[in-house]
Amino acid sequence: MTGPPAVGPADVVPVFFLSDSTGISAETMGNALLIQFPDLHFDRTLVPFIATVEQAREVVAQVDEAMDGPVPPLVFLTAAVEEVRAELLRTRAPVIDFFGLHMARVEAQLGAPGLREARRLHGVGDVRRYNDRMAAIEFAIEHDDGLSPRGLDRADVVLLAPSRCGKTPTAMYLALQHGLFVANYPLVEEDLVTTDLPRPVRELADRCFGLTTTVSRLSRVRQERRPDSRYSSEEQCRAELRRATAMYDTHDLPTIDTSAASVEEIAAMVVQTLARRRRRPGAPTPSRPAR
């Protein structure tokens, strides 16, 4: 028996992420596997909200059509509704069925059946958690780039960094995925004259994280915004990063280099640091003002 033909670097592999919900889980878990094949090229297609058997049949026809192409597709599936999932599994394409692989084992371990309903994968079934995430997103938007000092004491995390070091996407990801209230504060030249924390966040040092990057990456990113300016020059970037690092060191802030890290990795480092702080012997239980 022979397996499928080997995929070469010149081939483009069609990839389908199928779900009866948003498809975020299928994409996240599928891409976590695909990233391990950096030399291969993938053509990704997301098909979310497959709500009926009829819609599932249409998707199967689309995927089977791709099976007749030069490179067989790969399918990542997270469908909770049994009849929809069963129909999608009729495709001739190879399927990685995340829900089917794990749900039965979880049910066996718990000794209880799962609901197997769509839309519960991302917290809509848990109304309180969903509302917390939406409130966190609103907070992140209100406190993006130091826009508003109002209510900063409600922040779980304050991200400090010179402009274009990755504060905004990290804040939004932490809000959306973890429900954390995150403010981000841009360190401008006036803030970097001394190693003191900027006045609006001076009393929040225990919640501050410093972000940094490499001079070349910061200069390149700033060039896209303001080409050939002092703002984007390597000299200016080097000076700001050096002074920002001195500030972080003075106040013993957790510091994260964003130059080669994805937003998911940066967020994971923040969450892990918060968890370690909570586990410290004698650490006070966090208490935030009412939201």
Side-chain angles (χ1 to χ4, degrees):
M1 178 182 291
T2 60
V7 177
D11 295 323
V12 177
V13 182
V15 177
F16 292 87
F17 303 102
L18 309 182
S19 176
D20 52 9
S21 184
T22 63
I24 293 175
S25 292
E27 278 195 305
T28 300
M29 293 186 287
N31 282 322
L33 298 176
L34 297 181
I35 201 173
Q36 304 301 321
F37 303 89
D39 296 329
L40 300 183
H41 301 281
F42 301 102
D43 180 17
R44 295 169 170 84
T45 300
L46 170 63
V47 187
F49 303 118
I50 306 169
T52 66
V53 171
E54 289 73 21
Q55 290 174 339
R57 288 176 184 152
E58 294 175 4
V59 174
V60 168
Q62 179 185 357
V63 174
D64 283 352
E65 183 179 352
M67 274 295 289
D68 298 325
V71 180
L74 185 59
V75 177
F76 294 102
L77 175 62
T78 53
V81 178
E82 190 62 34
E83 56 267 29
V84 171
R85 186 171 139 270
E87 190 63 35
L88 291 170
L89 289 172
R90 292 178 181 273
T91 177
R92 294 186 285 120
V95 177
I96 309 299
D97 179 10
F98 291 119
F99 199 90
L101 284 171
H102 303 297
M103 186 60 172
R105 292 185 64 185
V106 173
E107 288 176 328
Q109 182 66 30
L110 296 177
L115 289 175
R116 296 178 181 262
E117 294 179 1
R119 301 179 185 272
R120 290 189 172 265
L121 292 174
H122 297 285
V124 175
D126 185 341
V127 175
R128 180 176 179 180
R129 181 172 182 270
Y130 179 81
N131 289 339
D132 283 348
R133 288 192 294 142
M134 294 306 103
I137 292 170
E138 291 176 3
F139 184 89
I141 292 172
E142 181 181 354
H143 296 86
D144 181 43
D145 254 356
L147 286 177
S148 171
R150 184 171 61 89
L152 266 179
D153 61 328
R154 299 164 66 206
D156 299 303
V157 173
V158 178
L159 301 177
L160 300 177
S163 172
R164 314 306 287 180
C165 284
K167 299 184 302 299
T168 295
T170 301
M172 294 301 174
Y173 187 88
L174 285 167
L176 178 61
Q177 295 297 325
H178 299 282
L180 291 172
F181 276 35
V182 184
N184 78 73
Y185 190 92
L187 296 175
V188 297
E189 286 193 78
E190 291 81 1
D191 297 317
L192 296 171
V193 172
T194 74
T195 57
D196 292 336
L197 289 176
R199 186 174 300 278
V201 300
R202 196 162 292 170
E203 303 303 318
L204 305 175
D206 59 332
R207 308 177 205 180
C208 288
F209 287 74
L211 303 186
T212 188
T213 185
T214 62
V215 172
S216 58
R217 178 172 175 79
L218 182 58
S219 177
R220 185 168 62 252
V221 172
R222 288 183 172 186
Q223 279 282 357
E224 296 173 1
R225 189 175 185 184
R226 297 184 198 168
D228 302 321
S229 64
R230 176 175 175 270
Y231 166 79
S232 61
S233 69
E234 288 201 358
E235 180 182 5
Q236 179 66 20
C237 293
R238 182 176 294 106
E240 290 185 30
L241 290 173
R242 184 179 65 250
R243 294 170 185 168
T245 299
M247 179 186 295
Y248 307 156
D249 290 345
T250 298
H251 299 278
D252 197 25
L253 303 185
T255 303
I256 300 172
D257 184 347
T258 66
S259 61
S262 67
V263 67
E264 293 89 349
E265 291 169 324
I266 299 166
M269 294 177 203
V270 172
V271 171
Q272 288 171 351
T273 300
L274 294 176
R276 283 196 298 269
R277 287 176 175 173
R278 287 194 293 268
R279 289 196 298 266
R280 286 177 185 167
T285 301
S287 60
R288 294 171 298 198
R291 293 173 176 172

